[in-house]
Amino acid sequence: MANEPRGAAASLELLASRFVLEASGRWKTGVARPANAIGLSMASGGLESEPHAHRESQLMYLVRGELICEASSALWIVPPQSALWIPGSVTHRIRARAPLEGYAVFVEPGAAPNLPLDCCAVSVTPLLRELLLRLATRPALYDLEGPDARLVSVLLDELATVSIEKHRLPMPIDPRLRRLVDAMTADPANGATTKTWAKRIGVGERTLNRLLVEETGLSFGRWRQQLHIILAIQKLSRGATVQSVALDLGYESASSFVTMFRKALGTSPARYMASRLSALADAG
């Protein structure tokens, strides 16, 4: 990890003690078990990892705080009470912001064949949450014939049933599109047309649309909407009001922002965050 604050040192040292470097940028756990969990916490500051991969698949569950991950040509915002699934051998980079509390579980290849094959943001059921919390208290070298092994078996079964959440922002590779991404992320309230943005990055409007669809699967309008969803979740998780988020993203009114959010996620921003806070209270 790079740029880690003192508040994160204990968690990172404990995390590092579970791994050995197998190859450049590739890590594996130092214990031979189907799955292992660890608690993570950070009282202040932030951290950013270097691009790396694990031999094992990884689930990062966030109780509170802010976690951003870039992997598989996409960016994920992980809000409280959600988790990110990263399959084994997938290179990823993580940024986190305190105060943060969460859990990571590492799953041995082949331990559970029905788990997702691609990176995805997932919802965390009350049962999965309790299993993660319990497993994180158990020894790394738990008895393979004992109750901890049965706990892991139930956790893997629960992981196979998780629901996918719409927290993914496809990221292009083309350097011209990456300039577009950087500019739109820095100024999300800018409502310039596709033609204007195309001119700014030195391509034609048709070329911009074609490249964006080829690399992200989304049209310019759909990609910008997904960017706004991701940024809105990030801002709301930090405690921003719906009104301020609407203004920051360039909407004429809070109601128009709420309409967009509800169409995309099936619920209003207020209800979305209320469900997160309710789950957080239950977890605490």
Side-chain angles (χ1 to χ4, degrees):
M1 295 287 184
N3 304 323
E4 67 268 19
R6 292 182 180 180
S11 288
L12 295 180
E13 287 175 7
L14 181 57
L15 185 61
S17 70
R18 300 282 184 96
F19 291 89
V20 294
L21 185 61
E22 187 178 49
S24 178
R26 179 183 167 96
W27 295 81
K28 67 175 182 178
T29 55
V31 294
R33 292 295 182 271
N36 237 298
I38 184 172
L40 303 171
S41 64
M42 186 167 62
S44 60
L47 63 84
E48 181 173 350
S49 76
E50 299 295 334
H52 64 286
H54 304 280
R55 176 176 172 272
E56 296 81 6
S57 297
Q58 177 182 8
L59 183 79
M60 297 285 288
Y61 164 53
L62 199 63
V63 177
R64 54 177 57 84
E66 181 181 310
L67 184 69
I68 301 173
C69 179
E70 186 168 357
S72 299
S73 300
L75 190 72
W76 279 269
I77 295 291
V78 185
Q81 304 307 314
S82 283
L84 181 68
W85 173 255
I86 307 172
S89 302
V90 171
T91 299
H92 56 283
R93 175 166 28 189
I94 289 174
R95 299 195 303 273
R97 174 173 169 167
L100 180 143
E101 178 185 349
Y103 295 85
V105 59
F106 299 90
V107 180
E108 183 75 11
N114 296 322
L115 298 183
L117 299 177
D118 299 313
C119 285
C120 54
V122 302
S123 59
V124 177
T125 64
L127 175 57
L128 179 57
R129 181 180 67 228
E130 295 306 317
L131 290 167
L132 284 170
L133 270 58
R134 179 67 180 274
L135 185 60
T137 68
R138 309 312 300 151
L141 289 169
Y142 54 80
D143 183 358
L144 288 172
E145 302 298 328
D148 291 336
R150 293 192 290 274
L151 181 72
V152 168
S153 179
V154 177
L155 183 144
L156 295 178
D157 286 343
E158 189 68 7
L159 267 177
T161 67
V162 293
S163 299
I164 307 301
E165 296 190 323
K166 297 179 180 180
H167 298 155
R168 176 179 183 271
L169 179 67
M171 297 292 282
I173 298 175
D174 186 286
R176 294 165 296 181
L177 295 185
R178 291 304 295 242
R179 292 200 303 272
L180 173 70
V181 170
D182 292 342
M184 293 181 68
T185 302
D187 186 16
N190 190 321
T193 63
T194 312
K195 183 177 181 179
T196 300
W197 280 115
K199 184 176 180 179
R200 289 178 183 177
I201 63 171
V203 300
E205 184 177 2
R206 289 185 178 180
T207 300
L208 171 57
N209 279 314
R210 176 178 55 80
L211 288 174
L212 203 56
V213 170
E214 287 177 354
E215 297 205 9
T216 70
L218 299 176
S219 66
F220 177 83
R222 290 291 301 278
W223 190 91
R224 176 154 58 182
Q225 181 186 75
Q226 188 62 17
L227 171 66
H228 284 179
I229 289 292
I230 293 295
L231 293 177
I233 290 172
Q234 182 183 51
K235 293 173 183 293
L236 292 168
S237 297
R238 291 176 180 175
T241 65
V242 171
Q243 180 70 38
S244 66
V245 172
L247 291 174
D248 288 346
L249 297 181
Y251 288 84
E252 294 182 359
S253 65
S255 61
S256 60
F257 164 68
V258 169
T259 298
M260 182 279 295
F261 194 98
R262 182 182 288 113
K263 286 182 178 179
L265 297 184
T267 187
S268 69
R271 289 184 177 179
Y272 176 90
M273 290 309 301
S275 67
R276 303 282 163 176
L277 294 174
S278 175
L280 178 59
D282 293 340

